[in-house]
Short mmCIF file of all heavy atoms in Angstrom, two decimals:
data_model
loop_
_atom_site.label_atom_id
_atom_site.label_comp_id
_atom_site.label_asym_id
_atom_site.label_seq_id
_atom_site.Cartn_x
_atom_site.Cartn_y
_atom_site.Cartn_z
N GLY A 1 94.21 96.44 70.34
CA GLY A 1 94.53 95.38 71.28
C GLY A 1 93.29 94.87 71.98
O GLY A 1 92.30 95.59 72.13
N ARG A 2 93.35 93.59 72.42
CA ARG A 2 92.21 92.98 73.12
C ARG A 2 92.73 92.27 74.37
O ARG A 2 93.69 91.48 74.30
CB ARG A 2 91.49 91.98 72.20
CG ARG A 2 90.65 92.66 71.13
CD ARG A 2 90.38 91.74 69.96
NE ARG A 2 89.57 90.57 70.30
CZ ARG A 2 88.23 90.55 70.27
NH1 ARG A 2 87.56 91.63 69.93
NH2 ARG A 2 87.58 89.45 70.56
N ILE A 3 92.09 92.55 75.49
CA ILE A 3 92.49 91.99 76.78
C ILE A 3 91.27 91.39 77.46
O ILE A 3 90.20 92.00 77.50
CB ILE A 3 93.09 93.08 77.70
CG1 ILE A 3 94.40 93.62 77.14
CG2 ILE A 3 93.31 92.54 79.12
CD1 ILE A 3 94.97 94.79 77.93
N VAL A 4 91.44 90.19 78.02
CA VAL A 4 90.44 89.63 78.92
C VAL A 4 90.89 89.93 80.34
O VAL A 4 92.00 89.56 80.74
CB VAL A 4 90.28 88.10 78.72
CG1 VAL A 4 89.41 87.51 79.83
CG2 VAL A 4 89.65 87.82 77.36
N PHE A 5 90.04 90.61 81.09
CA PHE A 5 90.32 91.00 82.47
C PHE A 5 89.48 90.09 83.37
O PHE A 5 88.28 90.25 83.48
CB PHE A 5 89.94 92.47 82.67
CG PHE A 5 90.33 93.05 84.00
CD1 PHE A 5 91.48 92.67 84.66
CD2 PHE A 5 89.53 94.02 84.59
CE1 PHE A 5 91.84 93.22 85.89
CE2 PHE A 5 89.88 94.60 85.80
CZ PHE A 5 91.03 94.20 86.45
N ALA A 6 90.13 89.10 83.97
CA ALA A 6 89.43 88.06 84.73
C ALA A 6 89.72 88.20 86.21
O ALA A 6 90.87 88.40 86.61
CB ALA A 6 89.84 86.68 84.24
N LEU A 7 88.67 88.05 87.02
CA LEU A 7 88.83 88.21 88.46
C LEU A 7 88.06 87.14 89.23
O LEU A 7 86.98 86.71 88.82
CB LEU A 7 88.33 89.59 88.93
CG LEU A 7 89.05 90.81 88.37
CD1 LEU A 7 88.29 91.34 87.16
CD2 LEU A 7 89.17 91.90 89.42
N ASP A 8 88.64 86.75 90.33
CA ASP A 8 87.99 85.88 91.30
C ASP A 8 86.96 86.74 92.04
O ASP A 8 87.30 87.74 92.66
CB ASP A 8 89.07 85.36 92.27
CG ASP A 8 88.52 84.45 93.36
OD1 ASP A 8 87.31 84.50 93.63
OD2 ASP A 8 89.32 83.71 93.96
N ALA A 9 85.68 86.35 91.95
CA ALA A 9 84.61 87.10 92.62
C ALA A 9 83.98 86.27 93.74
O ALA A 9 82.79 86.39 94.02
CB ALA A 9 83.54 87.52 91.62
N THR A 10 84.79 85.40 94.37
CA THR A 10 84.29 84.69 95.54
C THR A 10 84.29 85.63 96.74
O THR A 10 84.87 86.71 96.70
CB THR A 10 85.14 83.43 95.82
OG1 THR A 10 86.51 83.78 95.90
CG2 THR A 10 84.95 82.41 94.70
N ALA A 11 83.64 85.22 97.82
CA ALA A 11 83.27 86.12 98.90
C ALA A 11 84.43 86.93 99.48
O ALA A 11 84.27 88.12 99.80
CB ALA A 11 82.58 85.33 100.01
N SER A 12 85.60 86.34 99.63
CA SER A 12 86.72 87.02 100.26
C SER A 12 87.26 88.18 99.45
O SER A 12 88.07 88.98 99.94
CB SER A 12 87.87 86.02 100.52
OG SER A 12 88.36 85.51 99.28
N ARG A 13 86.80 88.31 98.22
CA ARG A 13 87.40 89.27 97.29
C ARG A 13 86.64 90.58 97.16
O ARG A 13 87.05 91.46 96.42
CB ARG A 13 87.49 88.62 95.91
CG ARG A 13 88.36 87.39 95.85
CD ARG A 13 89.76 87.72 95.41
NE ARG A 13 89.69 88.52 94.21
CZ ARG A 13 90.38 89.65 94.01
NH1 ARG A 13 91.18 90.10 94.93
NH2 ARG A 13 90.24 90.32 92.89
N GLN A 14 85.54 90.78 97.89
CA GLN A 14 84.70 91.96 97.67
C GLN A 14 85.46 93.29 97.81
O GLN A 14 85.34 94.16 96.95
CB GLN A 14 83.50 91.95 98.61
CG GLN A 14 82.48 93.05 98.32
CD GLN A 14 81.77 92.86 96.98
OE1 GLN A 14 81.12 91.85 96.76
NE2 GLN A 14 81.89 93.83 96.08
N PRO A 15 86.25 93.50 98.88
CA PRO A 15 86.94 94.80 98.99
C PRO A 15 87.87 95.08 97.81
O PRO A 15 87.90 96.19 97.28
CB PRO A 15 87.74 94.66 100.30
CG PRO A 15 86.99 93.63 101.08
CD PRO A 15 86.48 92.66 100.06
N ASN A 16 88.61 94.07 97.37
CA ASN A 16 89.53 94.27 96.26
C ASN A 16 88.80 94.32 94.92
O ASN A 16 89.31 94.89 93.96
CB ASN A 16 90.59 93.17 96.25
CG ASN A 16 91.59 93.34 97.37
OD1 ASN A 16 91.92 94.46 97.75
ND2 ASN A 16 92.06 92.24 97.93
N TRP A 17 87.63 93.71 94.85
CA TRP A 17 86.82 93.83 93.63
C TRP A 17 86.40 95.29 93.45
O TRP A 17 86.50 95.85 92.36
CB TRP A 17 85.58 92.95 93.73
CG TRP A 17 84.69 93.06 92.53
CD1 TRP A 17 83.77 94.03 92.26
CD2 TRP A 17 84.68 92.19 91.40
NE1 TRP A 17 83.17 93.81 91.06
CE2 TRP A 17 83.70 92.69 90.51
CE3 TRP A 17 85.37 91.03 91.06
CZ2 TRP A 17 83.42 92.07 89.28
CZ3 TRP A 17 85.09 90.41 89.85
CH2 TRP A 17 84.13 90.93 88.98
N ASP A 18 85.93 95.91 94.52
CA ASP A 18 85.51 97.31 94.44
C ASP A 18 86.67 98.21 94.02
O ASP A 18 86.50 99.15 93.25
CB ASP A 18 84.95 97.76 95.78
CG ASP A 18 83.68 97.02 96.17
OD1 ASP A 18 82.99 96.50 95.25
OD2 ASP A 18 83.37 96.94 97.36
N MET A 19 87.85 97.92 94.54
CA MET A 19 89.04 98.68 94.17
C MET A 19 89.34 98.53 92.68
O MET A 19 89.57 99.51 91.97
CB MET A 19 90.24 98.20 94.99
CG MET A 19 91.56 98.84 94.59
SD MET A 19 92.98 98.05 95.40
CE MET A 19 93.04 96.47 94.55
N ALA A 20 89.31 97.29 92.20
CA ALA A 20 89.62 97.03 90.79
C ALA A 20 88.61 97.68 89.86
O ALA A 20 88.95 98.09 88.74
CB ALA A 20 89.68 95.53 90.54
N ALA A 21 87.36 97.80 90.30
CA ALA A 21 86.33 98.41 89.47
C ALA A 21 86.68 99.84 89.11
O ALA A 21 86.35 100.33 88.02
CB ALA A 21 84.98 98.36 90.19
N HIS A 22 87.35 100.54 90.00
CA HIS A 22 87.73 101.92 89.73
C HIS A 22 89.08 102.01 89.03
O HIS A 22 89.29 102.86 88.17
CB HIS A 22 87.76 102.70 91.04
CG HIS A 22 86.42 102.82 91.69
ND1 HIS A 22 85.47 103.73 91.27
CD2 HIS A 22 85.84 102.13 92.71
CE1 HIS A 22 84.37 103.60 92.01
NE2 HIS A 22 84.58 102.64 92.89
N ILE A 23 90.00 101.13 89.36
CA ILE A 23 91.35 101.20 88.82
C ILE A 23 91.42 100.77 87.35
O ILE A 23 92.31 101.20 86.62
CB ILE A 23 92.29 100.33 89.68
CG1 ILE A 23 92.48 101.00 91.04
CG2 ILE A 23 93.64 100.12 89.01
CD1 ILE A 23 93.27 100.16 92.02
N GLN A 24 90.47 99.96 86.88
CA GLN A 24 90.54 99.45 85.51
C GLN A 24 90.63 100.56 84.47
O GLN A 24 91.11 100.34 83.35
CB GLN A 24 89.34 98.54 85.22
CG GLN A 24 87.98 99.14 85.51
CD GLN A 24 87.45 100.09 84.45
OE1 GLN A 24 87.86 100.04 83.30
NE2 GLN A 24 86.55 100.97 84.84
N ALA A 25 90.21 101.77 84.82
CA ALA A 25 90.29 102.88 83.87
C ALA A 25 91.72 103.14 83.42
O ALA A 25 91.94 103.71 82.33
CB ALA A 25 89.71 104.15 84.51
N GLU A 26 92.68 102.73 84.23
CA GLU A 26 94.08 102.94 83.88
C GLU A 26 94.44 102.28 82.56
O GLU A 26 95.29 102.78 81.81
CB GLU A 26 94.98 102.39 85.00
CG GLU A 26 96.46 102.64 84.81
CD GLU A 26 96.82 104.12 84.84
OE1 GLU A 26 96.20 104.87 85.62
OE2 GLU A 26 97.73 104.51 84.08
N MET A 27 93.81 101.16 82.25
CA MET A 27 94.11 100.48 81.00
C MET A 27 93.74 101.33 79.79
O MET A 27 94.49 101.43 78.82
CB MET A 27 93.40 99.12 80.94
CG MET A 27 93.98 98.09 81.88
SD MET A 27 93.25 96.43 81.70
CE MET A 27 91.72 96.65 82.60
N PHE A 28 92.57 101.94 79.86
CA PHE A 28 92.13 102.78 78.74
C PHE A 28 92.93 104.08 78.68
O PHE A 28 93.29 104.55 77.60
CB PHE A 28 90.64 103.09 78.89
CG PHE A 28 89.76 101.88 78.80
CD1 PHE A 28 89.30 101.24 79.94
CD2 PHE A 28 89.38 101.36 77.56
CE1 PHE A 28 88.48 100.12 79.86
CE2 PHE A 28 88.56 100.24 77.47
CZ PHE A 28 88.11 99.62 78.63
N ASP A 29 93.20 104.67 79.84
CA ASP A 29 93.95 105.92 79.87
C ASP A 29 95.36 105.75 79.31
O ASP A 29 95.88 106.63 78.61
CB ASP A 29 94.04 106.45 81.31
CG ASP A 29 92.70 106.89 81.87
OD1 ASP A 29 91.77 107.11 81.06
OD2 ASP A 29 92.57 106.99 83.10
N ALA A 30 95.98 104.61 79.62
CA ALA A 30 97.37 104.40 79.22
C ALA A 30 97.55 104.37 77.72
O ALA A 30 98.62 104.72 77.21
CB ALA A 30 97.90 103.11 79.83
N VAL A 31 96.53 103.97 76.98
CA VAL A 31 96.67 103.80 75.53
C VAL A 31 95.83 104.80 74.73
O VAL A 31 95.73 104.68 73.52
CB VAL A 31 96.29 102.37 75.11
CG1 VAL A 31 97.18 101.35 75.79
CG2 VAL A 31 94.82 102.07 75.41
N SER A 32 95.26 105.78 75.41
CA SER A 32 94.33 106.69 74.74
C SER A 32 94.95 107.44 73.57
O SER A 32 94.26 107.81 72.62
CB SER A 32 93.76 107.69 75.76
OG SER A 32 94.80 108.46 76.34
N LYS A 33 96.28 107.66 73.61
CA LYS A 33 96.94 108.43 72.56
C LYS A 33 97.60 107.55 71.49
O LYS A 33 98.10 108.07 70.49
CB LYS A 33 97.98 109.37 73.17
CG LYS A 33 97.38 110.44 74.06
CD LYS A 33 98.46 111.35 74.62
CE LYS A 33 97.85 112.42 75.52
NZ LYS A 33 98.90 113.32 76.10
N ILE A 34 97.63 106.25 71.71
CA ILE A 34 98.33 105.40 70.75
C ILE A 34 97.44 104.35 70.09
O ILE A 34 97.86 103.67 69.15
CB ILE A 34 99.53 104.68 71.41
CG1 ILE A 34 99.07 103.79 72.58
CG2 ILE A 34 100.57 105.67 71.87
CD1 ILE A 34 100.21 102.97 73.19
N GLY A 35 96.21 104.21 70.53
CA GLY A 35 95.33 103.24 69.90
C GLY A 35 94.13 102.93 70.77
O GLY A 35 93.99 103.45 71.87
N THR A 36 93.25 102.07 70.26
CA THR A 36 92.06 101.67 70.99
C THR A 36 92.25 100.30 71.63
O THR A 36 93.05 99.49 71.16
CB THR A 36 90.84 101.63 70.06
OG1 THR A 36 91.13 100.78 68.95
CG2 THR A 36 90.48 103.01 69.58
N LEU A 37 91.48 100.06 72.67
CA LEU A 37 91.61 98.82 73.44
C LEU A 37 90.22 98.27 73.72
O LEU A 37 89.32 99.00 74.14
CB LEU A 37 92.33 99.12 74.76
CG LEU A 37 92.66 97.94 75.67
CD1 LEU A 37 93.72 97.05 75.03
CD2 LEU A 37 93.16 98.46 77.03
#
């Protein structure tokens, strides 16, 4: 599977950008046993 992960990186988004940087691992973890992403 192929996913484009797009985010608004304008100034108001910095706190949530930092959060998303760590949470994105969930995408890879969720499919680790059924395929590559």
Side-chain angles (χ1 to χ4, degrees):
R2 286 158 64 89
I3 294 174
V4 170
F5 187 34
L7 298 96
D8 179 340
T10 53
S12 63
R13 298 265 311 132
Q14 188 67 59
N16 288 325
W17 178 279
D18 295 337
M19 174 189 71
H22 295 281
I23 290 174
Q24 54 79 22
E26 184 65 36
M27 288 186 281
F28 296 98
D29 292 343
V31 300
S32 60
K33 295 181 180 179
I34 60 175
T36 55
L37 185 68

